[in-house]
Amino acid sequence: MASFPLSLNEKLIARSRTVGELLAPTSPFDKKCGRENWTVAFAPDGSYFAWSQGHRIVKLVPWSQCLQNFLLHGTKNVANSVSTRLARQNSDGAQKNKPCEHIIDCGDIVWSLAFGSSVPEKQSRCVNIEWHRFKFGQDQLLLATGLNNGRIKIWDVYTGKLLLNLMDHTEVVRDLTFAPDGSLILVSASRDKTLRVWDLKDDGNMMKVLRGHQNWVYGCAFSPDSSLLCSVGASKAVFLWDMDKYSMIRKLEGHHNDVVACEFSPDGALLATASYDTRVYVWDPHIGVILMEFGHLFPPPTPIFAGGANDRWVRSVSFSHDGQHIASLADDKMVRFWRIDEEYPVQVAPLNNGLCCTFSTDGSVLAAGQDGSVYFWATPRQVSSLQHLCRMAIRRVMPTSQVKNLPIPSKVVEFLCYQI
């Protein structure tokens, strides 16, 4: 696909509507050393939103209350203002019934966040230990924070209390991801060139170390069925792992510079990766081929000058729940919304110094972090076709190899494999 000529953005593309802002208060030293928000996250059930305020502080807020405040007070919402702070509940029962906000001091610079929810049927994989310090119920909601010193701290979202302190990485924990199946399996990606698999239902026992990256690991993401893990890192690395066997399946070749973010589509049929080579690639992870390319620099840089003329590095990528839209965030001060079947963005929004973005659980809002604050935009809304909904239903249970063996017309196979 062709790269998009950036100078035509305002003329050809609709601007996304601003929903709201969460502005963190500044202190004198922030103005001297700056403040970077590397991570924002929505809880799986949409109940909470969390973000790093730039240093060691993480803010946890009920998402529904955020939306109400945006409607009542306009788009701006100072994150720590007394007027918008929710009353804390005293009893555990009240806290679980009525979400309340928490300000968490993690003790060191926060680089990564991830929410995890528990399903009782998913038992710990460690069968030899019968006694556990924590017994997670069905309504359990945890927040994992990855820190500059290599530690991972696990917090109870409802109470704001520290539950576990995981220590094994020797460098920055750059990204975290929970398995979507409710097993509370956590994977961490670190600058120490490893990924580590933790079982929180076994009191945070480290189950496995995944080795293969030769340089920093920037990001990781589970497939929707929790069977695959993608990890990305420096030196063009995109790896796929079998999470039942904890073994590498394949390396995806195609990027020309460091790969810094990745995410699977809701049906698991596609994988989006973002790179400093100014591109977002959409892959078929099951066969390792590039299906789409979304360029952020025109003309695209050659492999020799893989980073382009600076200010075009792609920092983050996120898949919407409808399976049709992708958001990307680049150093050119723009957020872009793409459709998987169109070569140009369908909407754009301005953002200086943005480093991370993610869609809300229902896909209606995109959150992006910048300088300790968060900005929210309404996402492109479109009623999905029956064809696309059927494709997603099929691809949730069938990898590409099985689809290609179905006794159906070749054009239908191409559609199911996102080739047309």
Side-chain angles (χ1 to χ4, degrees):
M1 288 188 174
S3 296
F4 181 72
L6 300 174
S7 60
L8 299 181
N9 265 345
E10 293 187 355
K11 296 181 181 178
L12 300 180
I13 301 174
R15 288 272 178 141
S16 180
R17 177 177 60 85
T18 300
V19 173
E21 305 169 357
L22 291 173
L23 305 178
T26 58
S27 56
F29 67 87
D30 287 334
K31 299 176 182 178
K32 296 179 180 179
C33 66
R35 188 171 50 172
E36 295 176 323
N37 178 351
W38 288 99
T39 179
V40 292
F42 286 95
D45 61 358
S47 60
Y48 275 91
F49 175 73
W51 81 101
S52 158
Q53 293 195 335
H55 296 301
R56 45 194 278 179
I57 303 300
V58 170
K59 188 70 178 291
L60 260 172
V61 294
W63 177 235
S64 61
Q65 184 65 49
C66 267
L67 291 177
Q68 290 178 21
N69 287 340
F70 294 153
L71 292 173
L72 292 174
H73 307 294
T75 60
K76 289 191 177 181
N77 182 1
V78 177
N80 290 334
S81 68
V82 176
S83 61
T84 59
R85 185 176 298 173
L86 301 180
R88 287 171 170 78
Q89 306 296 317
N90 294 323
S91 68
D92 290 344
Q95 284 173 334
K96 294 185 178 182
N97 293 329
K98 185 178 180 180
C100 59
E101 75 174 40
H102 298 285
I103 298 173
I104 297 174
D105 187 341
C106 296
D108 203 349
I109 297 172
V110 179
W111 284 83
S112 50
L113 293 174
F115 281 98
S117 55
S118 173
V119 176
E121 303 83 67
K122 289 286 183 178
Q123 299 299 318
S124 168
R125 294 194 184 185
C126 183
V127 296
N128 296 324
I129 299 178
E130 297 181 357
W131 180 88
H132 296 287
R133 179 181 172 192
F134 299 107
K135 297 194 182 301
F136 295 110
Q138 188 161 4
D139 60 348
Q140 192 73 40
L141 186 60
L142 306 180
L143 179 71
T145 56
L147 307 182
N148 191 70
N149 58 12
R151 295 190 178 190
I152 302 167
K153 292 187 176 181
I154 311 297
W155 309 83
D156 185 314
V157 171
Y158 300 122
T159 64
K161 294 179 180 178
L162 178 65
L163 299 179
L164 295 168
N165 195 352
L166 310 181
M167 298 176 285
D168 209 74
H169 283 296
T170 58
E171 289 282 351
V172 170
V173 179
R174 190 60 186 82
D175 199 17
L176 295 165
T177 182
F178 276 97
D181 61 5
S183 61
L184 290 184
I185 298 297
L186 174 70
V187 175
S188 54
S190 172
R191 286 184 181 174
D192 65 13
K193 307 176 187 178
T194 69
L195 298 125
R196 295 174 191 263
V197 186
W198 314 81
D199 185 353
L200 298 195
K201 289 194 174 181
D202 185 21
D203 296 333
N205 176 49
M206 192 186 71
M207 304 162 58
K208 198 72 177 179
V209 180
L210 304 181
R211 305 183 189 275
H213 286 267
Q214 300 302 308
N215 292 285
W216 290 0
V217 190
Y218 281 106
C220 55
F222 268 102
S223 62
D225 65 358
S226 303
S227 66
L228 299 178
L229 181 83
C230 176
S231 63
V232 297
S235 303
K236 316 172 192 177
V238 183
F239 296 167
L240 280 176
W241 306 83
D242 182 328
M243 292 308 288
D244 290 324
K245 301 177 181 178
Y246 302 116
S247 61
M248 187 185 298
I249 299 173
R250 63 173 59 90
K251 300 178 182 179
L252 303 183
E253 307 281 350
H255 278 296
H256 305 300
N257 205 331
D258 292 359
V259 189
V260 294
C262 59
E263 189 163 39
F264 284 89
S265 62
D267 60 4
L270 303 174
L271 171 69
T273 56
S275 170
Y276 289 165
D277 66 11
T278 77
R279 300 167 173 90
V280 168
Y281 284 153
V282 180
W283 311 75
D284 184 328
H286 302 283
I287 56 177
V289 300
I290 298 171
L291 299 177
M292 292 155 251
E293 175 187 331
F294 299 130
H296 295 66
L297 178 64
F298 182 83
T302 63
I304 297 176
F305 302 99
N310 295 325
D311 299 329
R312 295 294 188 273
W313 289 2
V314 188
R315 294 284 182 175
S316 186
V317 66
S318 183
F319 242 113
S320 178
H321 84 302
D322 65 6
Q324 292 182 301
H325 293 93
I326 292 173
S328 65
L329 193 157
D331 280 350
D332 62 356
K333 304 178 182 178
M334 298 294 290
V335 177
R336 292 169 173 81
F337 297 93
W338 311 80
R339 269 184 60 96
I340 60 172
D341 54 358
E342 295 185 19
E343 57 184 309
Y344 303 126
V346 293
Q347 287 184 15
V348 297
L351 180 69
N352 292 330
N353 304 324
L355 293 172
C356 56
C357 66
T358 188
F359 281 98
S360 60
T361 308
D362 65 359
S364 63
V365 171
L366 182 80
Q370 175 234 5
D371 296 338
S373 298
V374 190
Y375 298 84
F376 301 90
W377 293 277
T379 60
R381 304 310 297 264
Q382 182 173 347
V383 177
S384 297
S385 68
L386 184 59
Q387 284 179 319
H388 176 64
L389 293 175
C390 290
R391 171 170 60 185
M392 290 184 67
I394 292 172
R395 291 312 306 267
R396 285 183 189 277
V397 296
M398 298 186 72
T400 303
S401 57
Q402 293 182 15
V403 170
K404 288 190 172 182
N405 291 329
L406 293 174
I408 54 178
S410 59
K411 285 293 182 184
V412 179
V413 171
E414 290 179 12
F415 178 78
L416 294 176
C417 294
Y418 289 90
Q419 295 173 353
I420 57 173

